[in-house]
Amino acid sequence: MLECVINISEGGDPAKLAALVAALGPDLLDLHSDADHNRSVFTLAGTDPARVLAREALNMFNISTHSGVHPRVGIVDVVPFVALEPSTFDDAIRARNEFARFAADELGVPCFIYGPERTLPYIRKHAFIDLLPDFGSAMPHPTAGAICVGARPILIAYNIWLKDSTLEKAKQISALLRSDSVRTLGLQVGSSAQVSMNLIDYAVTGPLQVYDFVAQHAQIDRAELVGLVPARALANIPRNRWSELDLSAEKTIESTMAARNRKLSS
């Protein structure tokens, strides 16, 4: 089984997001939207729903009118495929390449691939400057932009909102946190400062470690899990800290996948 965690550059139109949800059915495991980021993260089971979501989103939204604090290159901005047991990383690579070919050939949207070849941050810095798409046109689509299609291990997307703090402070903390296991951005989200993170090696640096690190440097308003978390990431976190860290057994990949399978078998 593959998981696909698609990031759509739209987070402030509830009616259109509801239409996307309706198109996905039980294969939608989780949806996280943020109007200030103007971004929605759809966690999907399997590969076919990714094509459904991409086609529908591209018909609804226009990158030329988009604004939001999160970096993006397109409407269907990031499409990472993640291998869940018993699938392998090679399965994720295959799904990545097949999706990129589909998006370029059938949807007309150029695609950059990431994974073993290059990182997503590299694409964000170099796309259409000194890096051309791997699939499709050398120019961005006029309304869709481009798509970053990846194959990656499981990661945890995680935000920490600071209390009575500044963007400068969020950027300082982000710089201190940044490492081989944590990618960070300091962002102004509405009236609040936020440390936005991808915990790319959560066995080394997980939610508990980043929360406690940030707490040493600023007052925390709240933590926010974006999407789902693997159950094994909770194993070394004391249960009495879960709520504070915005974690629970119900927010695990395993729990939501089991609920999806029950729906399909009923």
Side-chain angles (χ1 to χ4, degrees):
M1 172 60 72
L2 295 177
E3 175 192 57
C4 188
V5 189
I6 298 188
N7 289 224
I8 301 292
S9 296
E10 174 57 54
D13 191 326
K16 289 184 177 179
L17 292 173
L20 293 177
V21 169
L24 295 168
D27 289 325
L28 175 63
L29 303 179
D30 185 77
L31 170 61
H32 180 279
S33 295
D34 186 287
D36 291 301
H37 281 239
N38 204 5
R39 194 171 185 84
S40 294
V41 179
F42 290 77
T43 305
L44 308 174
T47 57
D48 290 343
R51 300 190 180 202
V52 172
L53 177 56
R55 194 184 295 276
E56 294 292 327
L58 292 174
N59 287 334
M60 288 184 183
F61 307 118
N62 188 331
I63 195 64
S64 68
T65 60
H66 180 274
S67 62
V69 300
H70 199 287
R72 69 275 179 189
V73 299
I75 285 297
V76 181
D77 187 51
V78 183
V79 182
F81 291 91
V82 182
L84 306 178
E85 294 181 352
S87 296
T88 66
F89 190 69
D90 285 342
D91 295 325
I93 291 284
R94 190 176 306 110
R96 178 198 71 176
N97 294 345
E98 289 174 354
F99 180 92
R101 191 171 294 110
F102 151 79
D105 293 348
E106 297 191 30
L107 304 180
V109 183
C111 294
F112 297 90
I113 61 171
Y114 67 96
E117 302 85 355
R118 63 179 77 97
T119 66
L120 179 59
Y122 183 90
I123 295 174
R124 293 211 186 281
K125 290 180 181 178
H126 295 271
F128 298 112
I129 300 171
D130 55 3
L131 178 67
L132 293 178
D134 299 281
F135 294 84
S137 170
M139 299 294 293
H141 187 281
T143 62
I147 304 175
C148 302
V149 191
R152 61 161 174 78
I154 296 172
L155 61 73
I156 299 172
Y158 202 66
N159 297 328
I160 294 179
W161 300 70
L162 305 184
K163 182 181 293 184
D164 301 325
S165 196
T166 63
L167 174 60
E168 181 182 3
K169 187 66 173 179
K171 288 183 175 180
Q172 289 173 353
I173 294 171
S174 294
L176 292 171
L177 261 175
R178 196 170 296 129
S179 70
D180 289 342
S181 58
V182 183
R183 293 178 183 155
T184 63
L185 289 171
L187 300 173
Q188 186 71 40
V189 182
S191 61
S192 300
Q194 182 190 88
V195 180
S196 180
M197 292 165 276
N198 279 337
L199 310 182
I200 57 176
D201 190 347
Y202 61 86
V204 174
T205 311
L208 179 63
Q209 287 78 23
V210 295
Y211 186 97
D212 287 348
F213 182 92
V214 173
Q216 293 174 10
H217 297 271
Q219 284 189 296
I220 293 177
D221 181 51
R222 61 188 172 94
E224 178 183 42
L225 176 67
V226 179
L228 302 174
V229 62
R232 59 181 174 270
L234 303 183
N236 295 322
I237 300 175
R239 188 176 289 267
N240 63 1
R241 298 288 307 274
W242 286 8
S243 177
E244 178 186 28
L245 300 175
D246 193 32
L247 302 174
S248 70
E250 292 72 29
K251 293 181 179 181
T252 63
I253 298 168
E254 292 82 354
S255 175
T256 54
M257 190 68 77
R260 175 248 189 192
N261 293 340
R262 287 193 296 270
K263 288 179 185 177
L264 292 176
S265 62
S266 62

